[in-house]
Amino acid sequence: MVDVSSRLDEIKGYVDRGAYFTINRARQYGKTTILRALADYLKEWYYVISLDFQNQMSSAKFRDENTFSKAFAKAFVREAERVFPKIPELDYMKTAAWEDCGQLELVELFQLLSQLCGVSDKPLVLIIDEVDSAADNQVFLDFLAQLRGYYIDRDRNPAFQSVILAGVYDVKHLRRKIRRGEGTAGNSPWNIAADFLVNLSFSSGEIAGMLSEYEGDHQTGMDVCQMARQICDYTSGYPFLVSRLCKLLDERISGSSGFPDKKSAWTHQGFLEAVRILLGEKNTLFESLTGKLHDYPELREVLYLLLFQGQSILYNPDDDVQDMALMFGFVKVDREAVVVSNRIFETRLYNMFLMAPEVTGDGMYKAALRGRNQFIQNGRLNMALVLERFVVHFDEIYGDRGERFVEEDGRRYFLLYLKPIINGTGNYYIESRTRNMERTDVIIDYGGEQFVIETKIWHGNAYNTRGEEQLMGYLDHYHLNKGYMLSFNFNKKKEVGVKEIILGDKILIEGVC
């Protein structure tokens, strides 16, 4: 387990200050895990009541105030009896909750909660997980309004020390009326919430700490720091992805045909195999992301622009689509620009777009699929041959298309051509440092070898020379002596084909189409 004690201490600072706040992160970002750890961490100073609206409050419980209030009181009492000493005020709430014929509206519920807060020998902290299941319900908005009212008046009426709501959707941004016929559509019953700025993603150092404990138990001989950096590079610290890759290495890779033990599994090659398996599996996180793209077509459009057209999209906090993409975890903000959250998501999204039925029916994909066996020789990928055949097929099928077509789709067709060749054995990803409309580096891992292919738009010999020099620098970074360049040239006098260039101690295979 990653040590999250510093994170818990940071969240405790919010609680100590009496903050009411929301922890909203994408699916499987470790929200529930951190809330469970937080409840245990705070128990020395506070009574913590942890509820889960998904498991404890069905949709029928939100049909009216009385039904909701009684259901909430029952759930609250069950949890409170585990942590509270025996006090009359808790019995009062229990009686009100289980009384068959009595009415318990929100006002009465909060009066009971306030009495409990007033007599308790420790401050109370209320945690509610999975608030998404209630976010569209008017009764829930009225519940938030009561919380807000007691927060504002807590100098006169006892109230919770802190309230923490957790879910994917940020209830602070609800755009519904607090009560029918009052206020405006922009009112929010959660505008008292403090900004929650704690980073829940795992750093390379935190991952290394977890791996060090694992290494102490299993003695694999892994380079802990290097492995931690690799995991962080591919996942950007997304908790589910970190955990899943480690689980695959421990349980699936170790003991497999190519990796007979843990020592061979916890290596660079074992890690790449874990990435390959992860990218090819169905899991709840990927299914959730795919579902969001079907539900919100505008998300697909933004992601397509980022992935295939290399557009730099500046972050705009007033853009609803960007806000949605951030909320669901597709993207993050990096130096004021919107980028895909991590390498795993990016490659999975590329695969999804590339394997759409309307795309796999394309001539380039079919050409690569028909000839895929020729590119693998003795288990090794012949990348020079891939470029040679791509140039030929691309010129045959799309050679007469205009510049606009190639700028938007040329790189996509190279990935489309590459996909059936390495599918099931190799991985690829896009180097984020070079992704733009003019040049992109594709990094391919296949059979223990790594290939760097720069794809770019031809802008003359001087520009091409600079590109060659930059590619040489990337080869040094990846400790390679051979690189590949694919140029899309619109000059009618261009020489279509592939040639080998010697640059110092490096070999460059350059294709022009």
Side-chain angles (χ1 to χ4, degrees):
M1 294 289 290
V2 169
D3 180 8
V4 295
S5 56
S6 61
R7 202 165 283 122
L8 295 175
D9 193 58
E10 194 175 353
I11 300 174
K12 180 178 178 292
Y14 284 77
V15 175
D16 292 342
R17 295 192 296 272
Y20 285 29
F21 58 96
T22 303
I23 300 177
N24 68 288
R25 294 294 185 275
R27 290 292 179 205
Q28 296 186 280
Y29 214 96
K31 299 183 295 295
T32 299
T33 301
I34 202 75
L35 290 178
R36 288 176 179 270
L38 181 65
D40 186 64
Y41 186 73
L42 294 175
K43 65 184 181 182
E44 180 181 347
W45 305 278
Y46 303 101
Y47 288 131
V48 181
I49 308 300
S50 297
L51 305 180
D52 185 325
F53 271 6
Q54 189 173 66
N55 295 327
Q56 296 172 303
M57 301 283 287
S58 66
S59 58
K61 303 301 182 184
F62 293 89
R63 65 175 178 265
D64 56 56
E65 279 194 28
N66 180 62
T67 304
F68 171 84
S69 297
K70 287 203 169 190
F72 181 89
K74 288 178 181 179
F76 187 95
V77 167
R78 290 191 187 101
E79 181 66 15
E81 286 182 331
R82 295 195 315 106
V83 298
F84 263 86
K86 183 74 173 176
I87 54 175
E89 284 74 13
L90 194 57
D91 288 334
Y92 299 157
M93 183 177 293
K94 188 172 184 178
T95 300
W98 269 270
E99 189 177 44
D100 291 334
C101 59
Q103 292 292 307
L104 182 63
E105 306 296 347
L106 283 171
V107 171
E108 288 76 25
L109 171 65
F110 272 84
Q111 288 173 350
L112 291 170
L113 292 171
S114 180
Q115 290 172 12
L116 198 58
C117 292
V119 300
S120 175
D121 59 321
K122 290 183 183 180
L124 269 66
V125 174
L126 175 64
I127 298 175
I128 305 178
D129 197 7
E130 301 291 352
V131 294
D132 306 70
S133 58
D136 290 334
N137 197 289
Q138 184 63 43
V139 172
F140 176 65
L141 300 186
D142 293 340
F143 171 78
L144 292 182
Q146 289 289 330
L147 282 174
R148 180 183 63 182
Y150 273 85
Y151 172 87
I152 294 171
D153 292 337
R154 58 184 173 172
D155 57 331
R156 294 181 291 179
N157 296 308
F160 293 111
Q161 167 73 16
S162 182
V163 175
I164 306 169
L165 307 180
V168 173
Y169 296 86
D170 188 351
V171 296
K172 185 173 65 174
H173 298 309
L174 287 173
R175 292 294 183 265
R176 289 188 51 174
K177 296 179 181 179
I178 298 173
R179 293 184 184 278
R180 189 171 301 171
E182 293 184 14
T184 66
N187 280 349
S188 170
W190 201 236
N191 56 16
I192 57 171
D195 292 328
F196 182 73
L197 303 177
V198 179
N199 186 0
L200 298 186
S201 60
F202 297 149
S203 68
S204 178
E206 289 173 326
I207 297 170
M210 174 184 65
L211 295 181
S212 293
E213 289 191 21
Y214 179 90
E215 182 64 14
D217 290 338
H218 298 283
Q219 304 297 317
T220 70
M222 79 169 90
D223 185 329
V224 168
C225 291
Q226 181 183 17
M227 183 62 69
R229 283 194 298 269
Q230 283 188 124
I231 294 173
C232 197
D233 284 347
Y234 274 74
T235 65
S236 295
Y238 198 112
F240 173 85
L241 298 177
V242 172
S243 298
R244 186 59 184 155
L245 284 173
C246 291
K247 185 176 178 67
L248 288 171
L249 281 161
D250 181 62
E251 299 179 3
R252 292 271 299 276
I253 308 302
S254 177
S256 64
S257 58
F259 305 91
D261 52 28
K262 293 188 185 299
K263 183 175 182 178
S264 58
W266 287 90
T267 60
H268 177 65
Q269 293 310 314
F271 171 76
L272 293 179
E273 180 65 11
V275 170
R276 186 190 67 80
I277 293 174
L278 174 58
L279 287 170
E281 73 178 7
K282 292 185 69 173
N283 57 52
T284 52
L285 176 59
F286 291 158
E287 287 175 352
S288 175
L289 293 176
T290 303
K292 294 297 187 295
L293 292 180
H294 287 301
D295 294 340
Y296 304 99
E298 58 270 36
L299 283 177
R300 294 176 65 94
E301 296 175 11
V302 169
L303 292 169
Y304 188 90
L305 292 176
L306 286 172
L307 294 173
F308 290 108
Q309 296 189 19
Q311 288 196 12
S312 178
I313 300 178
L314 294 178
Y315 173 61
N316 177 4
D318 297 318
D319 188 309
D320 290 339
V321 179
Q322 289 186 23
D323 191 46
M324 191 186 309
L326 283 165
M327 183 173 63
F328 292 145
F330 286 105
V331 302
K332 61 184 177 182
V333 178
D334 182 23
R335 287 170 291 187
E336 299 185 355
V338 177
V339 298
V340 179
S341 290
N342 56 70
R343 194 175 290 172
I344 297 293
F345 280 8
E346 183 173 73
T347 306
R348 182 78 179 204
L349 289 167
Y350 269 116
N351 290 342
M352 185 193 71
F353 281 117
L354 291 172
M355 298 309 291
E358 66 272 17
V359 178
T360 54
D362 184 86
M364 292 299 292
Y365 182 86
K366 291 180 177 179
L369 190 62
R370 285 194 301 268
R372 67 184 303 270
N373 292 333
Q374 67 182 305
F375 302 113
I376 311 301
Q377 301 163 358
N378 299 319
R380 299 181 63 186
L381 176 63
N382 188 335
M383 183 53 66
L385 184 59
V386 172
L387 256 62
E388 288 177 16
R389 301 310 300 160
F390 173 82
V391 167
V392 170
H393 289 134
F394 190 88
D395 190 57
E396 289 176 351
I397 300 173
Y398 298 114
D400 60 346
R401 298 296 183 100
E403 179 174 348
R404 177 177 175 81
F405 171 84
V406 179
E407 283 188 342
E408 294 187 355
D409 296 312
R411 298 180 187 92
R412 178 166 66 93
Y413 280 107
F414 175 68
L415 293 176
L416 182 64
Y417 192 82
L418 183 68
K419 181 65 178 165
I421 297 172
I422 67 170
N423 192 39
T425 304
N427 303 314
Y428 73 92
Y429 64 89
I430 309 302
E431 175 53 70
S432 60
R433 291 175 300 180
T434 64
R435 186 193 299 105
N436 55 48
M437 278 296 289
E438 296 186 343
R439 51 190 302 267
T440 299
D441 285 343
V442 182
I443 315 298
I444 299 170
D445 295 302
Y446 190 97
E449 292 185 276
Q450 197 164 52
F451 306 87
V452 178
I453 304 96
E454 179 181 306
T455 65
K456 67 183 184 64
I457 308 300
W458 178 274
H459 289 297
N461 289 322
Y463 177 85
N464 194 61
T465 300
R466 290 197 302 272
E468 292 172 350
E469 294 171 351
Q470 289 170 328
L471 179 57
M472 296 305 103
Y474 287 124
L475 294 179
D476 286 334
H477 175 77
Y478 288 104
H479 307 292
L480 300 171
N481 59 17
K482 182 181 288 188
Y484 303 84
M485 180 178 287
L486 179 60
S487 299
F488 295 95
N489 191 335
F490 313 118
N491 190 327
K492 293 182 179 180
K493 297 180 180 180
K494 66 185 177 183
E495 294 183 10
V496 175
V498 175
K499 60 184 178 180
E500 182 177 298
I501 303 171
I502 306 297
L503 295 173
D505 62 344
K506 309 293 186 188
I507 299 174
L508 174 63
I509 308 297
E510 183 171 354
V512 177
C513 56

